[in-house]
């Protein structure tokens, strides 16, 4: 075999490995978006590797990663979960703080203020409520400070591609986390006569909290399987 | 449980001002003070972020201006925006400029160098004197377009204050940054120089003096401004007429006079033991908690 052929073969293999990585991240992020309650079809979520390669191998187009972006709308069930029930004090509560989500993979080898600002501007210009930016490098600390600065307009979350190669919530040791709606949350606290601060806590930066896009003050129900007690639930307040 | 006896705190008592009447008032004041502090800090941090964003695109002036001869407007604005920066903020600015393939020195229009050769380290100064010879990280070299720019940038860095801007309040206006290569004195610079001269003689100088004085006094933070730290000078009243020292006074101490150091008689052991004994007497015996 000539060296040129060998080189070409090696390149193909490297390309294949890279495509496999991207496919796994693509699947995980779709599962994540679906688990949060956005509308995605099962075909979109459970795309096979071959279909994935087919979808993004348009000749003449840019690389795979440049084309990896999509949006999703919240399902009705999700809107209900995020809605604010009317109370005596506030008979006309604000509409649920949820909306269309935009997900984008960024190929850049370093992500700084400029890239983050451009992403934020893209989200605002297209009225996306939430944006998820997936990079293959860590974002600079200065760029991360943009996120709270634009929080009034749009909600930005960041993930590193390598963290999405496996779906952590599929691991057998990670129990199922379910977000409670505001009504369920109130009912729970009333039933046990608790203040929310008396609940055990889950950190905002906890991998599962990040996966579900939890916000401060939300309560998740954690369902564990137990050999002796069947299934039992516990609750945690996101702080 | 024993309620009669509180454990003694080894910490100094927190002394809050006695100026306000009720506890609620005081609590509100303290809460407000901290809220203001946090807000102020957030404002400054946002300011630094926006300044960093602006300075990524510097210099604004095109040729013939360059790093060795920056335009007056760019240099002035650069110095002004840099005031609240800490060295770490400045490093972030350099990093952000590098991400955009620019020389790390803000007033330099050149791209940074990238030699594209592998390896983590580079050897520099091989054709100069022995003292110039250095082994440096490639990453460190690739931050700049040239060695002079590295010098220019670090010359600025060492002038930045290590303390965060929200803690250096009173001195904030006094941070003045010099450049290794200041704008060349053309007509504009002379005008600025003249302006500066008159300013220094006028209010500017006075403000600076006041700020320096405040810094010297130590009332730099918000605490002093809001009067949260309540300083009162209380004169000690003298009730009896002053008496000249006499030998009678000394008679009791004559046997220890040779131990006196500049009027102070050090005591070892004896006094501490005494105090210890007294404390033990005060206690109604150890381990009596269980009785109550
Ligand atoms: Zn330069």
């Amino acid at each position: 075999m000539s060296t040129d052929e060998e080189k070409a073969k090696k390149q193909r293999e490297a390309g294949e490995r890279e495509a496999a990585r991207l496919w796994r991240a693509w699947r995980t992020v779709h599962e994540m978006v679906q688990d949060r309650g956005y509308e995605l079809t099962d075909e979109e979520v459970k795309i096979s590797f071959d279909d994935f390669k087919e979808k993004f191998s348009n000749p003449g187009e840019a690389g795979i990663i440049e084309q990896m972006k999509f949006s999703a709308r919240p399902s009705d069930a999700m809107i209900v979960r995020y809605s604010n029930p009317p109370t005596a004090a506030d008979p006309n509560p604000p509409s649920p703080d949820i909306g269309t989500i935009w997900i984008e993979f960024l190929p850049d080898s370093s992500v700084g203020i400029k890239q983050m600002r451009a992403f934020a501007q893209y989200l605002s210009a297209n009225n996306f409520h939430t944006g998820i930016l997936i990079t293959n490098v860590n974002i600079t600390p200065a760029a991360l400070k943009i996120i709270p600065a634009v929080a009034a307009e749009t909600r930005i979350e960041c993930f590193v591609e390598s963290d999405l190669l496996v779906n952590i919530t599929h691991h057998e040791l990670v129990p199922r986390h379910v977000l409670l709606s505001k009504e369920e949350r109130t009912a729970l606290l009333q039933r046990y006569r608790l203040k929310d601060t008396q609940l055990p806590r889950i950190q905002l930066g906890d991998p599962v909290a990040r996966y579900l896009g939890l916000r401060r003050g939300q309560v998740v129900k954690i369902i564990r399987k137990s050999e002796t007690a069947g299934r039992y639930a516990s609750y945690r307040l996101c702080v | 449980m024993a309620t009669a006896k509180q454990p003694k705190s080894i910490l100094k008592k927190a002394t809050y001002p006695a100026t306000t009447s009720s506890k609620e008032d005081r609590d509100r004041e303290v809460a407000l003070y901290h809220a203001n502090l946090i807000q102020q800090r957030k404002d400054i941090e946002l300011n630094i972020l926006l300044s960093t964003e602006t300075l990524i695109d510097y210099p604004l002036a095109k040729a013939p201006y360059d790093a060795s001869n920056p335009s007056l407007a760019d240099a002035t604005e650069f110095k002004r925006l840099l005031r609240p920066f800490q060295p770490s903020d400045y490093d972030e600015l350099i990093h952000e400029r590098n991400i955009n393939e620019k020389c790390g020195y803000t007033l330099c229009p050149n791209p940074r160098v990238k030699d594209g050769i592998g390896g983590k380290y580079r050897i520099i100064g091989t054709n100069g004197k022995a003292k110039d010879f250095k082994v440096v990280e490639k990453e460190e070299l690739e931050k700049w377009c040239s060695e002079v720019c590295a010098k220019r940038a670090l010359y600025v860095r060492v002038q930045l204050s290590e303390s965060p801007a929200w803690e250096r309040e009173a001195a904030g206006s006094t941070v003045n940054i010099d450049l290794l290569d200041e704008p060349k004195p053309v007509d504009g610079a002379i005008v600025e120089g003249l302006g500066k001269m008159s300013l220094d003689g006028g209010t500017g100088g006075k403000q600076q003096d006041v700020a320096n004085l405040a810094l010297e006094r130590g009332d730099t933070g918000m605490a002093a401004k809001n009067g949260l730290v309540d300083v009162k000078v209380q004169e000690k009243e003298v009730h009896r007429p002053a008496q000249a020292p006499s030998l009678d006074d000394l008679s009791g101490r004559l046997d220890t006079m040779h131990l006196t150091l500049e009027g102070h008689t050090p005591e070892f052991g004896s006094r501490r033991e005494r105090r210890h004994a007294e404390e033990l007497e005060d206690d109604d015996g150890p381990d009596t908690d269980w009785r109550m």
Side-chain angles (χ1 to χ4, degrees), chain B residues 67 103-105 108 110-113 140-153:
Chain B
C103 171
Y105 181 53
C108 175
N110 298 334
R112 66 176 176 137
V113 290
E140 201 57 40
L141 275 184
E142 291 192 341
K143 284 181 181 170
W144 326 102
C145 71
S146 59
E147 214 177 313
V148 248
C149 264
K151 277 201 184 117
R152 288 183 188 122

Side-chain angles (χ1 to χ4, degrees), chain A residues 14-65:
Chain A
E16 193 85 344
R17 267 201 305 277
E18 174 63 12
R21 265 175 67 88
L22 291 174
W23 169 64
R24 290 168 70 176
W26 179 257
R27 289 225 8 187
T28 306
V29 78
H30 274 77
E31 287 159 4
M32 178 169 93
V33 167
Q34 195 182 39
D35 285 347
R36 289 186 188 190
Y38 293 96
E39 277 176 343
L40 285 178
T41 62
D42 277 351
E43 290 86 74
E44 284 173 303
V45 176
K46 297 201 166 80
I47 187 170
S48 72
F49 186 37
D50 288 332
D51 290 347
F52 175 80
K53 278 192 291 187
E54 176 75 33
K55 182 178 161 95
F56 290 116
S57 66
N58 307 328
E61 282 278 340
I64 294 179
I65 195 163

Side-chain angles (χ1 to χ4, degrees), chain B residues 108-148:
Chain B
C108 175
N110 298 334
R112 66 176 176 137
V113 290
K114 256 187 172 175
D115 57 14
I117 309 166
K120 201 166 174 242
Y121 296 95
R122 292 285 177 276
I123 297 167
I124 56 168
T126 43
N127 46 12
K129 294 187 201 107
K131 75 176 170 65
D132 293 333
F133 179 83
K134 260 186 220 159
V135 178
V136 289
E137 276 183 50
K138 169 189 171 195
E139 209 176 275
E140 201 57 40
L141 275 184
E142 291 192 341
K143 284 181 181 170
W144 326 102
C145 71
S146 59
E147 214 177 313
V148 248

Side-chain angles (χ1 to χ4, degrees), chain B residues 26-286:
Chain B
R26 209 170 59 213
D27 287 350
R28 191 177 308 118
E29 206 167 282
V30 171
L32 258 176
Y33 162 72
H34 286 286
N36 276 331
L37 216 58
I38 292 167
Q39 189 54 47
Q40 199 184 20
R41 181 179 169 163
K42 273 189 176 170
D43 290 346
I44 291 175
E45 278 173 339
L46 182 65
N47 227 326
I48 292 176
L49 175 65
L50 296 177
S51 296
T52 307
E53 228 177 327
T54 310
L55 291 175
I56 291 176
D57 296 323
Y58 263 53
L60 301 178
K62 302 273 173 281
Y65 295 112
D66 59 15
S68 65
N69 178 27
S71 84
L72 181 65
D74 283 356
T76 317
E77 188 66 359
F78 174 48
K79 290 184 201 174
R80 190 182 70 79
L81 291 177
L82 221 51
R83 266 182 208 155
F85 276 54
Q86 283 170 263
S88 58
D89 300 319
Y90 186 65
D91 291 342
E92 280 179 18
L93 169 63
I94 293 172
H95 189 192
E96 292 291 337
R97 283 180 65 85
N98 286 164
I99 287 177
N100 291 282
E101 301 303 334
K102 288 197 162 133
C103 171
Y105 181 53
T106 309
L107 296 175
C108 175
N110 298 334
R112 66 176 176 137
V113 290
K114 256 187 172 175
D115 57 14
I117 309 166
K120 201 166 174 242
Y121 296 95
R122 292 285 177 276
I123 297 167
I124 56 168
T126 43
N127 46 12
K129 294 187 201 107
K131 75 176 170 65
D132 293 333
F133 179 83
K134 260 186 220 159
V135 178
V136 289
E137 276 183 50
K138 169 189 171 195
E139 209 176 275
E140 201 57 40
L141 275 184
E142 291 192 341
K143 284 181 181 170
W144 326 102
C145 71
S146 59
E147 214 177 313
V148 248
C149 264
K151 277 201 184 117
R152 288 183 188 122
L154 297 180
Y155 186 79
V156 171
R157 189 181 188 275
V158 293
Q159 296 174 62
L160 299 173
S161 169
E162 289 277 356
S163 62
W166 51 91
E167 281 174 16
R168 52 177 131 118
E169 188 56 37
S173 56
T174 67
V175 177
N176 253 328
I177 293 159
D178 294 322
L179 305 179
L180 196 57
D181 289 298
E182 289 283 351
K184 293 279 182 296
V186 285
D187 305 344
I190 293 168
V191 172
E192 195 214 25
L194 283 173
K196 247 192 208 154
M197 276 166 68
S198 69
L199 254 180
D200 287 348
T203 53
K206 224 175 241 169
Q207 266 176 9
Q208 177 114 17
D209 287 348
V210 171
N212 285 343
L213 188 62
L215 187 64
E216 207 169 296
R217 274 204 307 267
D219 44 347
T220 52
M222 293 243 308
K225 261 197 270 162
N226 291 6
L228 198 68
V229 176
D230 196 19
V231 182
K232 269 188 200 141
V233 179
Q234 191 151 25
E235 293 293 339
K236 192 174 175 187
E237 278 180 57
V238 182
H239 291 295
R240 46 195 178 108
Q243 266 180 350
S246 69
L247 258 181
D248 300 345
D249 241 314
L250 295 174
S251 56
R253 299 189 279 134
L254 268 178
D255 51 344
T256 55
M257 280 285 274
H258 62 288
L259 294 173
T260 306
L261 298 168
E262 296 191 354
H264 171 72
T265 316
E267 283 176 273
F268 300 100
S270 57
R271 178 178 280 188
R272 220 171 77 206
E273 273 160 29
R274 252 198 330 270
R275 205 192 304 140
H276 192 58
E278 275 167 24
E279 268 174 17
L280 278 182
E281 267 170 54
D282 278 356
D283 272 348
D284 33 0

